[in-house]
Amino acid sequence: MTVQVTILGLGQIGGSIGLALATQQEKITRIGHDKESEPARAAKKNNVVDTVQVNLHSAVEGADVVILSMPLNEVRETLNLISTDLKEGVVVLDTSPARRQGEAWARELLPAGRHYVGLVPAIQRAHLLETGGGLDGARADLFQGANCLVCTIPGLPESAVRLATDLVNLLGATP
């Protein structure tokens, strides 16, 4: 059985996550969604994801993990839009920078049994001085050897924490 990982936002961070997970295709199915069509097409073409889903609701349906890789100002609206489509037990990983705000929105908008975890990924030092962003800046090794904070909220099931830390390990980072 494969784990469905849906990446919402296919820029540098989301794209790098997808590329890092490409080696796990026997265990993970990568679904991608971006509100812009060009990055979505490029992500599929460049093996960032296995499938691109244009419809946001369809992208998260059945997902075991949903990764929010978008600016903070899009997180609340996205959580609101997908909240009824998320299956019970899903882990939502948010890479936006404001932990407390994301947690507050998750408590407000996500139904019971859907788990929110904040991720603060660091970029490995070899890539710190690179310019450019978006999907062009995505690298399979962007997080290799770096640290990634896994920010949990009280009462989060151990299985959700383990899933988040396992994913961070698959990125080559240290949780």
Side-chain angles (χ1 to χ4, degrees), residues 62-82:
D64 301 295
V65 177
V66 173
I67 300 172
L68 304 179
S69 179
M70 59 190 60
L72 178 63
N73 66 340
E74 296 176 14
V75 171
R76 185 183 194 289
E77 179 182 3
T78 302
L79 285 172
N80 188 42
L81 288 170
I82 66 173

Side-chain angles (χ1 to χ4, degrees), residues 132-161:
L135 191 58
D136 290 338
R139 306 279 181 269
D141 67 344
L142 192 68
F143 311 111
Q144 192 75 42
N147 292 321
C148 182
L149 297 178
V150 178
C151 306
T152 62
I153 57 179
L156 190 67
E158 183 181 334
S159 60
V161 176

Side-chain angles (χ1 to χ4, degrees), residues 15-151:
S16 295
I17 291 170
L19 287 170
L21 296 177
T23 61
Q24 303 296 318
Q25 288 182 327
E26 65 283 344
K27 299 176 188 170
I28 295 174
T29 301
R30 300 165 300 151
I31 307 295
H33 171 83
D34 198 283
K35 65 181 186 173
E36 303 292 330
S37 60
E38 183 52 39
R41 280 194 297 274
K44 174 65 175 132
K45 179 181 175 187
N46 294 313
N47 194 34
V48 171
V49 294
D50 302 310
T51 304
V52 169
Q53 186 55 255
V54 176
N55 182 284
L56 177 63
H57 303 285
S58 298
V60 300
E61 229 173 44
D64 301 295
V65 177
V66 173
I67 300 172
L68 304 179
S69 179
M70 59 190 60
L72 178 63
N73 66 340
E74 296 176 14
V75 171
R76 185 183 194 289
E77 179 182 3
T78 302
L79 285 172
N80 188 42
L81 288 170
I82 66 173
S83 64
T84 59
D85 302 308
L86 298 171
K87 74 178 189 178
E88 187 159 350
V90 67
V91 177
V92 178
L93 303 173
D94 177 12
T95 65
S96 69
R99 298 285 53 87
R100 290 189 185 217
Q101 186 60 71
E103 290 171 11
W105 290 332
R107 281 191 185 105
E108 172 193 351
L109 299 169
L110 295 182
R114 282 70 176 173
H115 312 296
Y116 175 90
V117 177
L119 288 185
V120 183
I123 295 173
Q124 70 142 292
R125 64 183 181 180
H127 295 299
L128 285 176
L129 299 178
E130 293 178 3
T131 59
L135 191 58
D136 290 338
R139 306 279 181 269
D141 67 344
L142 192 68
F143 311 111
Q144 192 75 42
N147 292 321
C148 182
L149 297 178
V150 178
C151 306

